[in-house]
Amino acid sequence: MDKTIESLCAELVRKSAPLVSAIENPTGIAALTVYRHLEPTPPAPTTYLPSIALVMQGSKRVHLGENSFVYDRSRFLLTALDLPVSSEVLDASVKAPYMCLRLGLDIRLVREVLVSAPPVARVEASDAYGMATGVVTVELVEAFGRMLDLLGSGEPPAFLGDLLQREIIYRVLHSEAGARLREIATAGGDSDRTARAVDWIRDHYTQPLRMEQLAQQAGMGVSTLHHHFRRLTSMSPLQYQKQLRLHEARRRMLIDGLDAASAAFEVGYESASQFNREYSRVFGNSPMRDVRARLDGWRSA
């Protein structure tokens, strides 16, 4: 790896250290979050939102269906739409924690950059999914560094942070991963229409899913939508909806204190036994045991 990038990432660790007190640390810039892990973690189901993740130290692996993506100081991770995944921290310790900057992506802002910035060279997407990795460059790391410099500087973080977000998006669009982001952000294309279907399921995940209705929302035929949906998310629309329901049910049990049956019905399940079976298959344990283990882990942390 380029020694310059290594030293720049070390500087990012130094700058972000005062911001960190937990695993997930919001900052004064709404789109920017700092993550820290003090030890490797087992694979855990979660949902990745549209974002750019730049690792400052350590490494992580994300599983999307049968595909996996490893990112570290040499490769950033681009997530172009909401994706239920499983993720694990590979390299972390108390002396050298896993440290990562995550910049949330607003697709409307991506479209503005596409329209206003110099044209991006047309490159075919390196893979078919709504997730990709790209080579970290000095320019990308420096842009994240300037964003960290804004925090506590007295400068207006909302205004200047917006400018830096545009620069970071511009850098990513010019990377090998940028083709995927450009396809999803380009209105009218198959990826954009499929992304609209993803958004519709996300916003209506508690409702019964009818493929004809979903295809109409996307402006595509049923078979075409099914093909492109699996191409982007590595799962069918029904599998995607199931993942969203299970993740939200888990959140409501952990955060809101709901019992398993109540959480199941609130996210759209009609059968508690079906919910228990599918929950155990995804999270590796029954709802009650999984939630108890997670809460015990939080108390002992």
Side-chain angles (χ1 to χ4, degrees):
M1 183 176 61
D2 190 323
K3 288 294 184 181
T4 304
I5 292 177
E6 185 173 352
S7 61
L8 286 171
C9 285
E11 182 66 10
L12 291 184
V13 171
R14 185 192 66 79
K15 291 179 178 179
S16 60
L19 308 172
V20 172
S21 60
I23 292 175
E24 181 176 344
N25 305 270
T27 71
I29 297 174
L32 185 67
T33 306
V34 185
Y35 291 86
R36 180 189 68 178
H37 284 274
L38 301 178
E39 60 184 4
T41 64
T46 186
T47 298
Y48 272 29
L49 304 180
S51 59
I52 300 159
L54 179 74
V55 172
M56 301 174 281
Q57 189 168 266
S59 62
K60 196 170 189 180
R61 178 163 52 216
V62 178
H63 304 274
L64 176 62
E66 297 180 353
N67 305 277
S68 63
F69 304 83
V70 174
Y71 57 111
D72 51 25
R73 286 187 297 190
S74 66
R75 299 193 71 84
F76 67 86
L77 180 75
L78 166 69
T79 306
L81 67 165
D82 294 21
L83 291 172
V85 299
S86 174
S87 68
E88 56 183 315
V89 174
L90 300 176
D91 182 16
S93 67
V94 174
K95 290 186 177 180
Y98 167 82
M99 299 279 287
C100 179
L101 293 169
R102 177 190 171 275
L103 182 68
L105 280 178
D106 184 338
I107 295 300
R108 290 172 297 181
L109 187 59
V110 176
R111 288 175 177 151
E112 289 179 17
V113 174
L114 278 171
V115 170
S116 60
V120 176
R122 300 291 297 184
V123 178
E124 292 300 318
S126 57
D127 55 56
Y129 305 104
M131 178 174 281
T133 62
V135 174
V136 173
T137 64
V138 168
E139 293 79 11
L140 182 66
V141 180
E142 288 178 336
F144 271 97
R146 290 193 297 275
M147 187 170 282
L148 285 176
D149 289 339
L150 277 179
L151 301 171
S153 68
E155 302 285 356
F159 175 72
L160 294 178
D162 180 72
L163 296 178
L164 286 169
Q165 286 183 59
R166 292 170 185 270
E167 178 184 349
I168 290 170
I169 290 169
Y170 175 79
R171 302 289 180 195
V172 170
L173 285 169
H174 278 78
S175 73
E176 60 188 301
R180 170 57 58 225
L181 182 58
R182 186 188 65 241
E183 284 187 12
I184 290 177
T186 301
D190 288 335
S191 293
D192 170 56
R193 288 194 290 267
T194 306
R196 277 187 282 167
V198 170
D199 290 344
W200 191 91
I201 296 176
R202 181 196 63 206
D203 295 338
H204 303 85
Y205 66 90
T206 63
Q207 301 178 14
L209 181 60
R210 298 179 176 84
M211 281 303 299
E212 293 80 7
Q213 180 184 11
L214 186 64
Q216 184 178 13
Q217 290 286 337
M220 306 171 76
V222 171
S223 60
T224 301
L225 172 61
H226 196 277
H227 168 74
H228 285 286
F229 199 102
R230 185 175 288 277
R231 175 175 170 262
L232 274 183
T233 68
S234 191
M235 62 193 81
S236 70
L238 282 171
Q239 289 170 329
Y240 183 88
Q241 181 197 49
K242 182 192 299 182
Q243 291 288 327
L244 291 183
R245 285 179 168 182
L246 291 172
H247 286 153
E248 178 60 17
R250 190 191 206 198
R251 188 194 69 79
R252 295 190 187 194
M253 287 186 289
L254 286 168
I255 305 302
D256 301 333
L258 294 185
D259 59 78
S262 298
F265 292 130
E266 284 203 8
V267 300
Y269 276 89
E270 297 180 356
S271 165
S273 60
Q274 180 187 1
F275 169 74
N276 289 336
R277 286 194 304 271
E278 294 182 352
Y279 190 102
S280 299
R281 192 175 302 126
V282 170
F283 295 107
N285 222 331
S286 68
M288 182 180 296
R289 289 179 179 177
D290 175 61
V291 170
R292 185 184 300 125
R294 293 280 293 184
L295 292 174
D296 288 344
W298 289 352
R299 295 188 187 103
S300 62

